[in-house]
Amino acid sequence: MARKTGRKPLGNKKRIHGIVLRFNDSELQMVKETMGTYNLDFTKRGVVAPFLRRLILDKQQAEDTKKLPGPSANLIYQINRIGTNINQLTATAHAKNLRCPSAKLDAEIEKTNTLLMQILELLSEKLP
């Protein structure tokens, strides 16, 4: 049985509507600078339109969803660090073939669970 090759059919996701945008010099410079912050090359073909599409559509979707108040980026970073530490402890326990972890490890895990529960309670108070 031969495998079908080529592009998958897009169905109703096919983009059939076109919009032409025109920028003055200062506006175009702003677009270039914004693309530069994302390490995108303005001069490459097929980069600008997907970038602008994603920028507009993702912003619209982000406004529709609930956002965390205040310094949520730092909170997410700290939670990720906690998860990384837990994974490192688990990997070490498995590497050393520890079936009965030490009391110190149990205490650290319990402390981590308590802190995570407090974070979840604070988040549930902040979000409606």
Side-chain angles (χ1 to χ4, degrees):
M1 189 164 136
R3 227 172 69 176
K4 184 178 177 181
T5 59
R7 188 174 185 173
K8 295 179 182 177
L10 294 175
N12 64 353
K13 293 182 180 181
K14 186 173 182 180
R15 294 186 177 106
I16 57 173
H17 304 286
I19 296 176
V20 177
L21 293 174
R22 298 192 185 277
F23 298 104
N24 62 29
D25 291 338
S26 62
E27 293 169 338
L28 183 63
Q29 187 61 36
M30 288 174 59
V31 171
K32 288 180 180 180
E33 289 172 4
T34 304
M35 289 182 69
T37 62
Y38 288 93
N39 294 325
L40 296 174
D41 187 3
F42 178 82
T43 59
K44 283 190 178 177
R45 182 177 169 90
V47 175
V48 177
F51 170 74
L52 292 175
R53 183 183 305 114
R54 210 171 284 130
L55 188 68
I56 293 167
L57 295 178
D58 286 350
K59 184 176 180 181
Q60 181 63 34
Q61 290 172 356
E63 289 173 356
D64 293 342
T65 59
K66 293 180 182 177
K67 292 183 180 179
L68 292 175
S72 60
N74 188 33
L75 175 66
I76 291 169
Y77 173 73
Q78 295 298 331
I79 291 173
N80 283 336
R81 284 185 59 196
I82 291 169
T84 301
N85 290 343
I86 291 171
N87 287 340
Q88 289 172 350
L89 290 171
T90 304
T92 302
H94 284 295
K96 293 183 178 181
N97 202 12
L98 296 175
R99 294 173 193 236
C100 299
S102 67
K104 185 177 180 182
L105 178 61
D106 282 339
E108 287 296 319
I109 291 173
E110 187 61 37
K111 186 171 142 182
T112 302
N113 286 339
T114 304
L115 290 172
L116 286 173
M117 289 304 294
Q118 290 174 354
I119 289 171
L120 288 174
E121 288 173 9
L122 289 172
L123 287 175
S124 65
E125 290 174 6
K126 296 287 183 182
L127 294 176

